[in-house]
């Protein structure tokens, strides 16, 4: 039986402002440019997994202004039968991108927090033990989805971003793959060193696999038996907004097709490198061929 990915995640509108440097307290600055893109960690990760070749279903709620988000998912190969529409305001993000390609983000929850238990149960009924449940922390009632996914025997991939108190108190024992960055890892463990973060999480949750993204230093993978490191691919960063989401979606797709963790890390890192080379979030996520070409080109140069 072919396994599926259910991504119960956010659907956002990204409003991106180009700035020389991030605005400081009490300061007013002029932006160098403005663009509007589809976004949300959920949407980005679904598109990345689908463009990597996985069978992906997205669940989430949009408002009257969010029809184009569902359309983009559909065009990218994502099944949108579970995406629903309400009269609310679609979630959105205000994003500053500085001259170094770094970003800082303010989120407005909007309809991403309009998901009720009845809707969640309706969606979950379409999936089985062994399917992957992808989750981030940009929708409401995440602990409920973690609990129900575990009860159904789904393999849960959690990206605990943004890091809020509900994550620290949630039951993560059903999580198969924890995808997080160093800041989030420090918040969960109190550790600052990457290896110490990995060791603390693995000792706390035996059987979990932890993937820790390390910014310009790449990513690390640990499962209690081995520790793998994947360096970043050398590209000029234009916009890092969707890099982590691309990495997560590609990694999930690679696992779904049975790829070894080391190979999955490499493919995910290559896809993320393509993403940061372009502007915007979802629109810069590559198709599988582009990610594979990035990986092969670096291998050839090396």
């Amino acid at each position: 039986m072919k396994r599926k990915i259910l991504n119960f995640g956010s659907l956002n509108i990204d409003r991106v402002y180009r700035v020389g440097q991030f605005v400081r307290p009490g300061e007013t600055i002029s932006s160098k440019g403005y663009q509007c893109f589809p976004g949300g960690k959920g949407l980005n990760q679904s598109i990345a997994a689908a463009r990597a070749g996985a069978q992906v279903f997205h669940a989430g709620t949009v408002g009257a202004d969010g029809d184009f988000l569902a359309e983009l998912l559909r065009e990218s190969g994502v099944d949108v039968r579970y995406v629903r529409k309400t009269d609310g305001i679609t979630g959105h993000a205000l994003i500053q991108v500085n001259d170094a390609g770094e970003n800082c983000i303010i989120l407005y929850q909007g309809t991403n927090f309009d998901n009720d238990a009845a809707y969640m149960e309706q969606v979950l009924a379409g999936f089985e033990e062994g399917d992957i449940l992808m989750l981030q922390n940009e929708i409401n009632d995440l602990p409920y989805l973690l609990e129900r996914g575990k009860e159904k025997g789904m393999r849960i991939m959690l990206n605990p971003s943004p890091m809020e108190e509900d994550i620290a108190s949630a039951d993560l024992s059903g999580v198969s793959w924890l995808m997080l960055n160093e800041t989030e890892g420090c918040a969960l463990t109190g550790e600052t060193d990457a290896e110490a973060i990995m060791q603390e999480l693995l000792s706390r949750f035996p059987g979990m696999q932890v993937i820790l993204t390390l910014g310009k230093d790449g990513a690390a993978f640990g499962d209690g038996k081995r520790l793998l490191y994947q360096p970043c691919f050398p590209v000029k960063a234009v916009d890092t907004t969707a890099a982590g989401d691309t990495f997560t979606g590609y990694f999930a797709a690679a696992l779904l097709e049975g790829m070894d963790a080391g190979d999955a890390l490499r493919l995910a890192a290559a896809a993320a490198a393509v993403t940061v080379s372009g502007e915007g979030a979802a629109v810069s996520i590559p198709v599988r061929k582009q990610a594979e070409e990035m990986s092969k080109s670096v291998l050839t140069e090396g």
Side-chain angles (χ1 to χ4, degrees):
M1 179 184 298
K2 186 176 181 180
R3 295 301 180 189
K4 302 172 290 189
I5 294 175
L6 166 62
N7 187 355
F8 212 125
S10 55
L11 296 157
N12 280 356
I13 301 172
D14 287 350
R15 298 185 170 96
V16 182
Y17 298 84
R18 279 278 172 185
V19 296
Q21 61 183 22
F22 299 140
V23 65
R24 293 170 294 191
E27 182 180 33
T28 300
I29 63 174
S30 295
S31 66
K32 297 180 176 181
Y34 166 78
Q35 291 175 291
C36 183
F37 297 104
K41 298 188 73 63
L43 177 139
N44 294 338
Q45 291 176 18
S46 282
I47 288 176
R51 290 181 181 172
Q55 184 180 18
V56 185
F57 296 77
H58 193 96
T61 305
V62 296
D65 54 346
D67 287 343
F68 77 105
L69 301 177
E71 183 58 31
L72 177 62
L73 286 169
R74 186 182 297 109
E75 292 172 354
S76 300
V78 179
D79 191 308
V80 296
R81 72 183 69 180
Y82 298 112
V83 174
R84 70 172 185 170
K85 184 176 177 181
T86 68
D87 295 330
I89 298 172
T90 302
H92 55 266
L94 299 180
I95 303 172
Q96 297 179 60
V97 180
N98 67 13
D99 288 341
E102 301 169 319
N103 67 79
C104 60
I105 303 172
I106 300 174
L107 287 174
Y108 174 71
Q109 297 168 344
T111 52
N112 289 315
F113 272 58
D114 288 345
N115 306 300
D116 56 71
Y119 167 52
M120 291 178 177
E121 289 298 332
Q122 177 189 356
V123 173
L124 289 170
F127 298 86
E128 301 175 347
E129 180 179 354
D131 288 337
I132 292 178
L133 174 60
M134 291 181 69
L135 298 171
Q136 314 82 35
N137 198 28
E138 289 185 345
I139 64 171
N140 62 300
D141 290 345
L142 183 66
Y144 181 82
L145 285 168
L146 287 168
E147 178 185 351
R148 292 293 292 121
K150 178 181 178 181
E151 290 172 355
K152 287 180 67 71
M154 299 180 75
R155 295 177 291 166
I156 300 174
M157 178 175 288
L158 173 64
N159 176 207
S161 177
M163 180 60 66
E164 307 282 0
E165 290 184 7
D166 59 339
I167 290 289
S169 61
D171 179 10
L172 304 184
S173 61
V175 175
S176 298
W177 301 281
L178 186 64
M179 312 278 297
L180 71 172
N181 60 31
E182 290 177 281
T183 301
E184 293 152 359
C186 179
L188 279 176
T189 66
E191 302 287 349
T192 56
D193 176 73
E195 191 166 338
I197 290 171
M198 299 279 281
Q199 290 175 347
E200 173 61 25
L201 288 170
L202 291 169
S203 64
R204 194 182 299 178
F205 303 106
M208 179 186 285
Q209 297 180 27
V210 178
I211 302 89
L212 187 66
T213 55
L214 306 170
K216 60 181 176 59
D217 294 324
F221 168 91
D223 61 3
K225 301 175 184 176
R226 55 180 174 164
L227 183 61
L228 305 174
Y229 282 94
Q230 171 62 52
C232 280
F233 287 78
V235 296
K236 177 176 173 57
V238 175
D239 184 350
T240 61
T241 303
D245 296 332
T246 301
F247 186 98
T248 298
Y250 261 80
F251 190 81
L255 293 176
L256 198 66
E257 64 186 58
M259 194 176 289
D260 174 80
D263 292 333
L265 281 176
R266 183 174 185 85
L267 179 64
V274 177
T275 296
V276 302
S277 302
E279 291 187 337
V283 295
S284 65
I285 296 172
V287 295
R288 180 69 172 258
K289 183 179 179 181
Q290 291 174 291
E292 290 176 341
E293 286 176 349
M294 169 65 73
S295 180
K296 291 176 183 176
S297 69
V298 174
L299 278 172
T300 300
E301 292 169 6

